[in-house]
Amino acid sequence: MTAAASVHPDPSSDLWPAPYARGAVDATVTVPGSKSVTNRGLVLAALASEPGWLRRPLRSRDTLLMAEALRTIGVKIEEGVGPDGTGEAWRIIPAPLRGPATVDVGNAGTVMRFLPPVAALTDGPVRFDGDPRSHERPLHGVIDALRALGARIEDDGRGALPMTVNGTGSLDGGTVEIDASSSSQFVSALLLSAPRFNQGVEVRHVGAKLPSLPHIRMTVDMLRSVGAQVDEPEHGGAPNVWRVAPSALRGRDLVVEPDLSNAQPFLAAALVTGGRVTVPDWPERTTQPGDALREIFTEMGGSCELTEAGLTFTGTGRIHGIDVDLGEVGELTPGIAAVAALADSPSTLRGVAHLRLHETDRLAALTKEINELGGDVTETEDGLHIRPRPLHGGVFHTYHDHRMATAGAIIGLAVEGVEIEDVATTAKTLPDFPMMWTEMLGV
């Protein structure tokens, strides 16, 4: 049956009453395109030697910031329909990259990290700034690497924003060592622009274990799809070493996959309510970290089936705790923590110390917010230990973090009286989340 929500929330309110499900969810939810694929696709198309198309791109704060940033340095991006006259598509027309320019990164990790290497290829200064939280997020991996490769960057020694990249029209490239243990985006940032460097690049990661390896695999796959030559550890290369040869990149007609990480709250709804949710167009093969949800949520008590219609996930009405290393899929941690707080046994989430440096300190935020609803969560050195307890209503703060907002909504399905502070922050990667959530519930 279709779940009935106990309230009809107003997404414009400062406090959004999270809908409480009084029955099992039964819905089909079409998830917008992947932010990670959209923003990588935009960068590669901007650096190509010919125009390209990006079909079904995600339109969210992060992707619109990326598109506007590329426009400020000379790239032409036309928004409309595809070449066959159907579906939303962006046409990207490369042009000589120019400065001076000012780039607003918001709080988008992909924009603040992927674009400084591109800015080094412009013919003038490009200043980067963003939201207050962006000044606290680490950029030293990209800044130090670009300096080692020949770029001139002014950051007053902060290793963070604001900063200015003084482009000279080209970058020598070569071999560079970086510590990317705080963000795999440091590696992806260098690889994406490397075909345009005079010598390409050889990136050597030194330091603790790399997080979020699927995102680096995504970068490599997308580079290869536009004609780049990439050697990587998984294909016979040395461990933690990636090589990209200098080359011209082709323009592509790229269809963006649904954002599987953004499918998480909807799959969680099936698990929490003992219902069923289908996500159309779930790919059979993908480098997206969100694909791990099939295995993780199945272990927590559900089942899934991948057919031509998409992925259908079914809950049983029982949720089991889990002991799992999320190092490669850290962005899934908030949603998994929310489900684990409703389980019938304890959970340990490991390998995600780097989440302390995301949109907010996600480990501290999850601990505080779940505990203030009556939970029992403790931080560990590299994750969370969650002992389920009966929860009660209250305000769930988001810290301007989209995944905190969706985590609160998941808890609200099973706990009456949860109010999400600043649910509008979900627009960062999932526009219209409040409407999608209430429609899923049949409101």
Side-chain angles (χ1 to χ4, degrees):
M1 67 177 180
T2 299
S6 62
V7 296
H8 192 149
D10 175 10
S12 66
S13 172
D14 291 337
L15 292 179
W16 183 66
Y20 174 74
R22 300 193 180 279
V25 168
D26 187 356
T28 296
V29 179
T30 300
V31 177
S34 163
K35 177 199 73 173
S36 298
V37 173
T38 299
N39 275 355
R40 283 166 174 79
L42 283 168
V43 171
L44 291 173
L47 296 174
S49 58
E50 58 190 352
W53 289 91
L54 205 58
R55 297 180 189 244
R56 290 167 55 182
L58 173 66
R59 288 185 58 88
S60 72
R61 187 185 186 213
D62 279 18
T63 60
L64 294 175
L65 283 168
M66 179 68 84
E68 186 56 31
L70 290 169
R71 289 187 180 107
T72 66
I73 58 173
V75 180
K76 188 174 183 181
I77 301 175
E78 301 173 343
E79 302 182 30
V81 297
D84 57 1
T86 62
E88 182 175 6
W90 295 349
R91 181 162 174 78
I92 300 96
I93 303 172
L97 302 178
R98 64 171 189 262
T102 298
V103 168
D104 175 11
V105 308
N107 192 20
T110 51
V111 182
M112 70 179 71
R113 292 167 182 151
F114 291 178
L115 286 190
V118 178
L121 301 171
T122 68
D123 62 1
V126 180
R127 177 174 170 79
F128 289 83
D129 204 350
D131 298 352
R133 173 61 180 171
S134 72
H135 296 182
E136 302 171 14
R137 301 183 68 181
L139 270 179
H140 55 85
V142 173
I143 293 172
D144 293 347
L146 286 176
R147 283 183 174 139
L149 296 173
R152 188 164 64 89
I153 299 175
E154 301 168 14
D155 70 333
D156 294 331
R158 287 183 299 269
L161 295 178
M163 70 175 185
T164 298
V165 178
N166 293 287
T168 59
S170 66
L171 195 66
D172 288 340
T175 300
V176 65
E177 290 187 348
I178 63 170
D179 181 351
S181 56
S182 61
S183 176
S184 68
Q185 290 176 352
F186 295 164
V187 174
S188 288
L190 297 170
L191 300 184
L192 286 167
S193 292
R196 289 282 298 270
F197 298 168
N198 296 336
Q199 301 171 38
V201 80
E202 178 177 296
V203 178
R204 295 177 172 269
H205 165 64
V206 293
K209 182 180 177 181
L210 262 174
S212 306
L213 275 172
H215 277 130
I216 297 180
R217 297 187 192 113
M218 177 188 295
T219 297
V220 169
D221 280 3
M222 293 184 68
L223 275 162
R224 288 179 173 150
S225 75
V226 294
Q229 179 183 329
V230 187
D231 295 324
E232 60 174 330
E234 289 84 350
H235 290 77
N240 291 333
V241 177
W242 295 261
R243 299 181 185 88
V244 180
S247 66
L249 300 180
R250 298 191 301 266
R252 268 200 70 192
D253 188 341
L254 173 67
V255 179
V256 178
E257 297 174 353
D259 193 314
L260 306 188
S261 294
N262 277 341
Q264 181 182 38
F266 305 101
L267 301 184
L271 189 57
V272 169
T273 68
R276 179 177 60 188
V277 168
T278 297
V279 178
D281 301 318
W282 195 287
E284 289 187 21
R285 176 188 173 276
T286 181
T287 53
Q288 288 193 61
D291 196 45
L293 290 167
R294 291 194 285 169
E295 179 179 348
I296 293 169
F297 277 172
T298 295
E299 187 174 342
M300 295 186 80
S303 63
C304 64
E305 182 182 15
L306 186 60
T307 67
E308 290 186 358
L311 180 75
T312 297
F313 190 85
T314 305
T316 60
R318 294 192 62 189
I319 304 170
H320 308 310
I322 190 171
D323 185 331
V324 62
D325 187 331
L326 299 175
E328 293 201 350
V329 294
E331 64 195 51
L332 304 180
T333 302
I336 294 170
V339 173
L342 304 170
D344 59 11
S345 57
S347 295
T348 300
L349 312 184
R350 295 178 283 106
V352 289
H354 61 285
L355 294 189
R356 294 186 170 99
L357 301 170
H358 275 224
E359 280 81 346
T360 188
D361 179 342
R362 284 179 172 165
L363 300 185
L366 287 164
T367 300
K368 179 178 183 293
E369 296 309 314
I370 294 174
N371 287 351
E372 289 195 352
L373 298 182
D376 186 1
V377 181
T378 55
E379 281 193 62
T380 64
E381 182 179 353
D382 71 338
L384 300 172
H385 187 61
I386 303 167
R387 291 164 292 274
R389 291 173 53 178
L391 302 181
H392 55 72
V395 176
F396 195 94
H397 299 91
T398 65
Y399 309 89
H400 307 294
D401 186 334
H402 56 131
R403 300 205 192 278
M404 286 295 296
T406 53
I410 292 168
I411 292 174
L413 290 172
V415 179
E416 287 194 81
V418 174
E419 295 182 297
I420 311 298
E421 174 263 336
D422 188 24
V423 74
T425 194
T426 53
K428 177 179 170 70
T429 62
L430 191 55
D432 302 324
F433 170 75
M435 181 180 296
M436 293 174 68
W437 197 245
T438 52
E439 286 181 348
M440 172 192 70
L441 290 163
V443 177

